[in-house]
Amino acid sequence: LRFRLAGYPRKHNEGRVEVFYNDEWGTICDDDFTLGNAHVLCRHLGFVAATGWAHSAKYGKGVGRIWLDNVNCAGNEKSIGDCKHRGWGNSDCSHEEDAGVVCKDERIPGFKDSNVIEVRKMLTRVGSWMPQSTLGCGAVWELSLGVQESSVGFPGNWQGVGAWQAPVAGDTSAATGHAGRGSGFLSPHRLFTERQQLNYRLHSVSCTGTEVHLSLCSFEFYRGNSSAACGAGMPAVVSCVPGPLFATGNAHKKKQRQQQQQQGQPRIRLKGGARIGEGRVEVLKSSEWGTICDDRWNLQSASVVCRELGFGSAKEALTGARMGQGTGPIHLNEVQCRGTEKSLWNCPFRNITQEDCKHSEDAAVRCNVPYMGYENLIRLSGGRSRFEGRVEVAVGAGDGDQPRWGLVCGEGWGTLEAMVACRQLGLGFANHGLQETWYWDASNVTEMVMSGVKCAGHEMSLSHCQHHGASLSCRNTGTRFAAGVICSETASDLLLHAPLVQETAYIEDRPLHMLYCAAEENCLASSARLANWPYGHRRLLRFSSQIHNRGRADFRPKAGRHSWVWHECH
């Protein structure tokens, strides 16, 4: 059984319930429907529980079969099929009685839904691909299909590299997309590869190019002796073009800089994500950055965003401000991309109205990105958990040599450098960047191998930041002065309302006799101690302040609340 929410208008956690049974989607009748039924169905859909249900086709009338009627669940059943009902397909209802549910907006940990495609780590074979849009054969070892999770694996012991020139047809867009790269190319000529015995499992793969994963394309399985298959063909092959963040070499980067200069300021960006290729989607409209409402947000639209930013297709289309709430306007609603668009701005969408959406419905994405192996070049030691410790980096790992592990000089190490280290480790955000780590002295690594690290904060690896290279310069080379980090999967993101400060700021001459409390709390300048109390006055800059947390965690000051003091001056 598979389940989905459908209908309109609705939010991501509510809708008409549709069930896939006997190779056909259908609905559930609202006769005798209870909250217990809704609890079971919401758990099928990946939510922890239900908060309500709807009758009389509140979310619109479905089509096709009405699979279930007179359903009666206690609420603790594992499956809707375990509840009492009239039998599959046995109903006296019309679609005007289609039932809906409202689920609690809290996901079951680890649940994979239809807006998520997970791809196993892949190894790509390079061989020959005939230059037409439908594959003749494919060297595919395993391909498991399903709405909730799809994976493609390839045999690892493959060889051969070829040149690519002709533009890609639809098939390589899907293949390169879930490999984490933006686009692919087909070879106009046959590539000669080392002949070896291959087992073929797929042929006649045909993609439109809008699919976010190769398993969503049409294809046929080989039956019987797979090693004798594909007699007239060769293994399918794809070559991927790196996105701007992953390009190597000066020629690539120079070309990208030229393209960026021609295109002007980008009109789309990701914010609030801890890792490369994830974040809240923000768009630039009328010179102001704003967010996108999550109504009808799906993998097709998310994939257009990912490809526009130079990543592969989308791995996950996130709703409900899962990457934090944005600020400012919400520019777009009900974005409905087909998947072929070059930019999100080419997709149909509705302009937003005040009552349509709130920032609690900001849309976000997780994109497929190329596997670069950066996390193998850094590790933490000595911490109380895997999220903290002294930073150790690998140097000299090229040309098959064993890497040499060493420490990073803590001099000048701060939050920006810690952000890059935590991102490279795959551990999320940086809580602290530490310049002394004597309390984490648990490793036998004692040599400093990197110094002068200065990051902008967006880099994928510490090696991409400025640093001294081979000529180390560190005043304190002892292990206690090695750099350390404390990482966190979520973080707060405080934003001062600067326009409000500007609008409300004014000068006030306030009598000293009204400032005793402020003086006791050290809110006045030190020269106030020399004033002739209680006569005279002090000139104050007064303003209103508002701070917004657009992050994904509560704001917690460094000082514990036992050490807080009350004062009136702020």
Side-chain angles (χ1 to χ4, degrees), residues 87-373:
W88 290 96
N90 183 9
S91 170
D92 58 0
C93 299
S94 70
H95 281 296
E96 291 178 348
E97 301 167 83
D98 284 343
V101 294
V102 181
C103 301
K104 185 178 180 182
D105 193 6
E106 183 181 339
R107 304 293 291 173
I108 296 171
F111 186 88
K112 304 289 193 300
D113 65 17
S114 57
N115 258 7
V116 183
I117 294 268
E118 285 293 340
V119 187
R120 294 184 190 171
K121 186 174 169 184
M122 294 177 302
L123 300 168
T124 312
R125 170 177 175 76
V126 180
S128 177
W129 200 334
M130 301 305 290
Q132 59 252 23
S133 63
T134 302
L135 283 81
C137 314
V140 179
W141 171 47
E142 175 191 358
L143 184 130
S144 41
L145 300 172
V147 169
Q148 294 185 353
E149 182 172 353
S150 303
S151 58
V152 179
F154 296 84
N157 191 21
W158 290 344
Q159 300 175 6
V161 176
W164 298 93
Q165 293 171 17
V168 66
D171 307 317
T172 50
S173 293
T176 58
H178 76 239
R181 303 192 181 253
S183 56
F185 289 84
L186 294 176
S187 173
H189 58 278
R190 185 176 293 265
L191 298 174
F192 294 97
T193 61
E194 180 184 334
R195 289 283 181 180
Q196 53 183 301
Q197 190 71 22
L198 292 171
N199 289 323
Y200 293 94
R201 293 294 163 86
L202 294 187
H203 68 96
S204 304
V205 179
S206 182
C207 304
T208 64
T210 62
E211 296 85 356
V212 298
H213 191 273
L214 196 62
S215 65
L216 302 179
C217 303
S218 66
F219 55 83
E220 293 180 35
F221 279 109
Y222 275 115
R223 309 291 179 194
N225 184 4
S226 59
S227 60
C230 201
M234 293 278 284
V237 65
V238 41
S239 178
C240 303
V241 178
L245 287 170
F246 307 97
T248 55
N250 292 331
H252 262 302
K253 290 181 178 172
K254 185 177 179 184
K255 185 178 179 183
Q256 276 146 14
R257 277 197 299 272
Q258 289 171 349
Q259 288 173 345
Q260 287 164 0
Q261 287 165 1
Q262 291 166 2
Q263 293 165 358
Q265 185 181 6
R267 296 181 65 198
I268 189 165
R269 68 185 184 187
L270 300 182
K271 301 292 281 186
R275 297 170 181 84
I276 294 294
E278 70 173 27
R280 179 178 61 253
V281 183
E282 296 190 352
V283 292
L284 185 66
K285 186 179 180 185
S286 304
S287 302
E288 189 173 13
W289 286 100
T291 61
I292 297 176
C293 188
D294 63 13
D295 289 351
R296 301 197 177 189
W297 185 248
N298 61 19
L299 279 166
Q300 272 67 39
S301 299
S303 290
V304 171
V305 169
C306 291
R307 286 171 172 151
E308 184 175 355
L309 290 168
F311 303 111
S313 57
K315 179 165 57 177
E316 196 167 355
L318 297 161
T319 57
R322 294 260 302 280
M323 289 289 176
Q325 296 186 27
T327 57
I330 302 172
H331 284 318
L332 307 179
N333 189 16
E334 293 185 30
V335 179
Q336 296 181 69
C337 302
R338 294 184 302 276
T340 55
E341 295 87 351
K342 295 287 186 191
S343 168
L344 191 74
W345 293 100
N346 301 138
C347 301
F349 61 85
R350 271 185 58 206
N351 285 318
I352 206 79
T353 58
Q354 190 92 35
E355 61 276 5
D356 275 340
C357 286
K358 302 181 180 66
H359 280 297
S360 58
E361 302 162 77
D362 284 342
V365 297
R366 281 197 178 101
C367 304
N368 284 306
V369 296
Y371 176 70
M372 309 299 284

Side-chain angles (χ1 to χ4, degrees), residues 66-99:
I66 299 174
W67 278 123
L68 292 173
D69 190 6
N70 300 111
V71 181
N72 189 352
C73 303
N76 55 4
E77 291 87 352
K78 289 268 175 39
S79 168
I80 198 75
D82 298 335
C83 304
K84 294 176 183 176
H85 56 82
R86 291 179 57 160
W88 290 96
N90 183 9
S91 170
D92 58 0
C93 299
S94 70
H95 281 296
E96 291 178 348
E97 301 167 83
D98 284 343

Side-chain angles (χ1 to χ4, degrees), residues 41 76 196 201 243 306 366 379 390 435 445 523 540:
L41 288 165
N76 55 4
Q196 53 183 301
R201 293 294 163 86
C306 291
R366 281 197 178 101
R379 67 189 185 190
R390 181 180 285 165
Q435 296 188 357
V445 176
C523 296
L540 307 178

